[in-house]
Amino acid sequence: MRCLRALLMRLGGLFGKDRRDAELAAEIESHLQLQIDDNLRAGMDPAEARRQATLRFDGVEAVKESYRDRRGLPWLETAWQDLRYAVRVLAKDRGFTAVAVMTLALGIGANTAIFGLIDAVMLKALPVERPGELLQVKMGEDGTVFTNPIWEQVRDRQDVFSGLFAYGGDRFNLSPGGEARYVQGAWVAGGFFETLGVQPALGRPLTKADDRRGCPATVVLSYDFWQSEYAGSPSALGRTVSLEGQPFQIVGVAARGFSGMAVGRPMHVYVRLCSEAIVHGKESWLDGRSIWWLTVVGRPKAGVSPQQATARLKVLAPEIFRATKPQNWRPEDIEGYTKRTFETGAAAGGISDLRGQYSNALLALMGVVGAVLLIACANVANLILARSSIRQREIAIRLALGSGRGRLIRQLLTESLLLSLTGAALGVLLAQWGSQLLVRLLSTSRSAVTLDLHVDGRILAFTAAIAIGTALLFGLAPAWLATRVLPNAAMKSGGRGTIDGHSRFGFGKALVIVQVALSLALVVCAGLMLGTFRKLANMDPGFRQEQVLIADVDLRNARYPEPQRLAVFAQVLERLRALPGVHSASSSDITPISGMAWNGEIVVEGYQAKKRGDSIAYFNQVSDRFFETMGTPILAGRDFSDRDGPAAPKVAIINETLARKFFGQASPLGRSFVMERGPNPEPPVEVIGIVRDAKYGTLREETKPTAYVTERQAIEPARMSHNFELRSATSASDLIPGVRTAIAEVNPNVIIQLKTLSLQVEESLTRERLLAVLSGLFGGLALLLAMIGLYGVMSYNVTRRQNEIGIRMALGAGQTTVRTMVLGDVAILVALGLATGIGLSLAGGRLVERFLFGMKASDPAALASAVALFAAVAALAGYLPARRASRVDPMVALREE
């Protein structure tokens, strides 16, 4: 209590100082007067009486200073004085301040922007009740999705979770017919909202009581969807919304700010899991023992640790997996299935494919922007070093008047901190704009990314820490060197040459070497990322993507039973082929580079698999003229035709990779393979053609052994949706109006979604494009900062050596000699920096190796190009000071001495 009272008194002493100083002066004067009166009575004259009284008082000003120190907070007052002085000094030198602040704003802003993305994608907890308690139930380390039968068994048998739910992400079409209008949503089990502790903004949530087979079609809307679609009207309750052509009654609106469990993929509608059969009908996933689509999350009971929850689930695992065995698996696969077990993992931050896809890329970018910030710090440190030569008389005078080095260092660090905080404030604004731009780079036409990027306490704390660390990094060494001035020498030198001694300037050169080394590493990284993107974007995927339109046709709203779907799809294909401007048209289950896949094991006579998985092949079910539309040439054999009907022998066309792997050097035409699709034997499939290799799921993958089967023979049952490919004689987008009309003529309730094949391929490179754009941007920024630093140091060097240069020219040195001398210094600095940078590039290349394609981290072409670029830019940065040095007038330079 006494300490608090003393602190409050000191804080109070910061206010009303003039009044307190006047009271103190009056009190001291009264004490002096008493002593003067005693001296006068002792016979002293008035002047001597005051002098003796003052001496006896032991210094009036010292007493005042001691009293001021006790009544206030001296460190706070001096800090305020330092801050005001720093503002005046920086405001006076506006050019230096503007350059330093912008340099720091770019460095700090880049770090804040990338950290904001890392925070939103990887660190931020869900806006739910006690998110740290949430656990995801998994099968082993990698099995993150369950079938509905497994979920129901876990739900009914577990006894360690107070709340448990399952959900499966899905897209729901709102349009009753014509072009699709999709929104993201989720099938959720009844305990979803209750377990998360999410209260409704309107109406009621879905509860456990709703979680039963045959439940009615009800839906809870997200708050944002309610606002955008229903203008936030309470009358939305009780109304219906069309999802996949089925009416779902709106029973509630989720809390504001809650967007589901998937980070970056906000959910707009939450639909009862038990109503899934209303949408999918006989093809419902609820009883599918081989359909993996549900994520399971729970909240343990009070006192139950994650380890205890995992141990209990492991005990239940054998019984659960025995009860959910798939019927159509091979005996050896079922044996492995029944041996599976459960694990748990933290789910406080939600569950998202975005995190798995981009977390490594974001961490790599964080390292890149950290290097950019180091380069910016080195640049500002060099600016401060050059500027300190102008201020050496000021520093010398302050030292001569008694200021300590510590006091001056604190003053100079205050200026650095003010620069850094100003740059950080501007950097936060740049980060907000940059973060939104980055999110747009992550989004695709199929899936928009939405992240919470508002500036919160964590972002501000990170930025403040970066700003303070940056101020110390670029300010401490220059402040220390600036105060190592000899006052007498500084006064005699006229303010030039005292602190530009060898050690001080050597530090500036060392900073340039560091800048060049870091910048070279970043430029090499940028070259690797740009090279990877260029190789992927320009590679030959085995098909021609230009002028191809993809139409995804969905019959769900048209209510066609499964036996009629093939006939409807054939009718659609016939109408599309008759459209003006269509060069060729086809249909398929899977389009290239869509991320979709269908694979299975095949048996080929004479082929012996060396290990499990060696017999896997990939499949696609296509129409005739598919290869003509895709621009993939048939190398041998023939295309599918009308004779390959349902009653005809099964046939397939295989790619070169499958032919080499399973048939060796012999021709596969006329030979057969058998697809292993369950316990019952399948009929043999005859190879009637060989096509050129083409990429299947992604551009990065090694070419997969692929077999194409004809959809007329329907090896796989016809699904609700089917893809149609149309090659245009001109532009793919020119076909869109005609496609809409043709499909509407078949059935106006048919849903279509249109996209060019070029866009589909382009969007598959979203991550590579992000890395290429950002690494190129930051590499260019690093190069610019390094060259500015080199130019600044060499310009200062020329100024420092002006007298020496004047003497050399007076003694006969020519302009060429002077230019060579300055450029020689540049060459030494750049050579040392490049040598260090090459080592950094080779060591740091391992960090980006996983993102490369068709290149190695030690790619000599990328390294040589970066070195050549640096040499060219460094020559330009050094030539300007060298040119200025060669034009020095010897008489003017000597006269200044």
Side-chain angles (χ1 to χ4, degrees), residues 231-292:
S233 172
S235 65
L237 284 183
R239 294 168 62 180
T240 60
V241 58
S242 174
L243 302 178
E244 303 296 345
Q246 298 288 345
F248 279 75
Q249 185 181 29
I250 300 169
V251 297
V253 176
R256 184 174 188 174
F258 177 73
S259 58
M261 291 290 295
V263 177
R265 314 285 190 193
M267 300 300 164
H268 299 296
V269 292
Y270 303 91
V271 189
R272 286 176 174 176
L273 179 63
C274 49
S275 64
E276 181 268 347
I278 295 174
V279 171
H280 293 134
K282 293 181 180 180
E283 298 173 5
S284 171
W285 300 342
L286 294 180
D287 293 318
R289 295 192 173 190
S290 298
I291 302 175
W292 306 87

Side-chain angles (χ1 to χ4, degrees), residues 404-483:
R405 289 188 65 197
R407 181 71 179 83
L408 288 176
I409 289 174
R410 188 174 71 180
Q411 171 62 55
L412 295 174
L413 283 179
T414 301
E415 296 176 19
S416 298
L417 183 60
L418 183 59
L419 283 174
S420 186
L421 291 176
T422 306
L426 183 57
V428 169
L429 299 178
L430 293 175
Q432 280 291 288
W433 172 79
S435 297
Q436 297 296 335
L437 177 61
L438 292 178
V439 168
R440 285 197 290 273
L441 288 174
L442 295 176
S443 298
T444 65
S445 61
R446 179 180 174 87
S447 181
V449 174
T450 303
L451 294 172
D452 180 11
L453 295 173
H454 76 276
V455 178
D456 57 12
R458 184 152 46 189
I459 298 293
L460 291 177
F462 173 83
T463 307
I466 286 286
I468 294 171
T470 299
L472 294 175
L473 194 61
F474 73 75
L476 189 58
W480 176 265
L481 292 172
T483 56

